[in-house]
Amino acid sequence: LPAILRYFREHHPKMNISIVFDSPDNLIEKMEHNKVDLVYMLSYSTYDSSWQKEMEEKEPIVFVCSSQCRFAGQKNLTIDDFIDQPFFLVEKDAGYRRAFDTYMESVQKELVPFVEISDTEFILQMVAENNGMSFLPRFAVETRVEQGQLAILDVAEPQISMYRQLFYHKDKWKTREMAEFIRVAKMDLK
């Protein structure tokens, strides 16, 4: 969203955007009751015949650490190599966190996070300062990886992906503003 909002501030400064953060289920319910125009979320692939899906992009979820961490740059790591490190994870109801917890249960391993918090920016800051590790969507960490603050770990398992999705209710009249948001969301903005 930050890149999309920067674009709108530059190209459509008079346009007002209201953002509602909530769980995918709550956002969908709000869309179905005409309380939000568009739903833009990261979750499992979601579909309903009453929705118009405009975008679905696969997003890998990755293990990340500080570029100063001893695991940065190592190849062929397993989760056992770093399971005892302090982890900063999103709350349990986030889709990719649930998928990670399900994987851990399936391999009979336990990772107890040091901190659970819904603030991804806080997690990124703590990990960049070499205070621990995390498991986050690749798009959320790419800028800091490019800046040399973070490193994505080379780990074979688990391979978890979610989908960035954008949709609205089929009965909703698509305004010019909605159409422009959809167009911009489909662009590769950084």
Side-chain angles (χ1 to χ4, degrees), residues 142-176:
E142 282 178 330
T143 299
R144 289 183 187 236
V145 169
E146 290 167 5
Q147 294 169 345
Q149 297 174 9
L150 297 177
I152 295 173
L153 297 179
D154 179 19
V155 181
E157 292 292 328
Q159 293 294 314
I160 295 173
S161 293
M162 294 280 133
Y163 293 86
R164 269 188 312 121
Q165 300 164 89
L166 178 63
F167 45 86
Y168 60 93
H169 198 280
K170 281 187 176 178
D171 294 338
K172 179 81 175 174
W173 178 61
K174 185 164 71 168
T175 65
R176 283 188 323 231

Side-chain angles (χ1 to χ4, degrees), residues 63-87 130 132-133 151-155:
F63 288 100
V64 64
C65 66
S66 164
S67 57
Q68 304 304 310
C69 177
R70 64 186 168 114
F71 297 107
Q74 290 188 25
K75 300 290 183 199
N76 303 316
L77 291 167
T78 68
I79 200 160
D80 291 328
D81 294 327
F82 53 83
I83 196 169
D84 61 341
Q85 298 300 303
F87 264 80
N130 205 15
M133 306 174 93
I152 295 173
L153 297 179
D154 179 19
V155 181

Side-chain angles (χ1 to χ4, degrees), residues 61-66 82 86-90 96 100 115 120 123-124 127 132-137 141 150-151 153:
I61 313 301
V62 297
F63 288 100
V64 64
C65 66
S66 164
F82 53 83
F87 264 80
F88 293 82
L89 296 177
V90 295
Y96 58 91
F100 175 67
V115 172
T120 304
I123 293 172
L124 291 170
V127 174
M133 306 174 93
S134 194
F135 188 65
L136 294 166
V141 305
L150 297 177
L153 297 179

Side-chain angles (χ1 to χ4, degrees), residues 11-62:
H11 296 89
H12 305 283
K14 294 185 186 219
M15 186 175 177
N16 293 322
I17 297 175
S18 177
I19 299 173
V20 176
F21 288 97
D22 212 330
S23 70
D25 291 341
N26 288 342
L27 289 172
I28 289 167
E29 182 179 332
K30 288 175 183 178
M31 177 191 65
E32 289 177 340
H33 290 94
N34 202 29
K35 295 188 188 230
V36 298
D37 295 327
L38 295 166
V39 172
Y40 185 49
M41 68 180 193
L42 179 69
S43 186
Y44 295 101
S45 182
T46 306
Y47 174 78
D48 189 284
S49 62
S50 65
W51 308 340
Q52 176 64 44
K53 187 176 279 194
E54 293 286 341
M55 181 183 78
E56 182 173 270
E57 298 287 332
K58 189 174 185 177
E59 292 289 349
I61 313 301
V62 297

Side-chain angles (χ1 to χ4, degrees), residues 83-121:
I83 196 169
D84 61 341
Q85 298 300 303
F87 264 80
F88 293 82
L89 296 177
V90 295
E91 68 281 356
K92 287 183 175 285
D93 64 342
Y96 58 91
R97 170 67 191 278
R98 278 195 310 265
F100 175 67
D101 289 344
T102 300
Y103 168 81
M104 294 298 284
E105 288 173 20
S106 75
V107 295
Q108 300 176 341
K109 296 184 188 302
E110 182 179 21
L111 189 151
V112 178
F114 174 61
V115 172
E116 290 176 280
I117 187 168
S118 61
D119 187 342
T120 304
E121 189 57 36

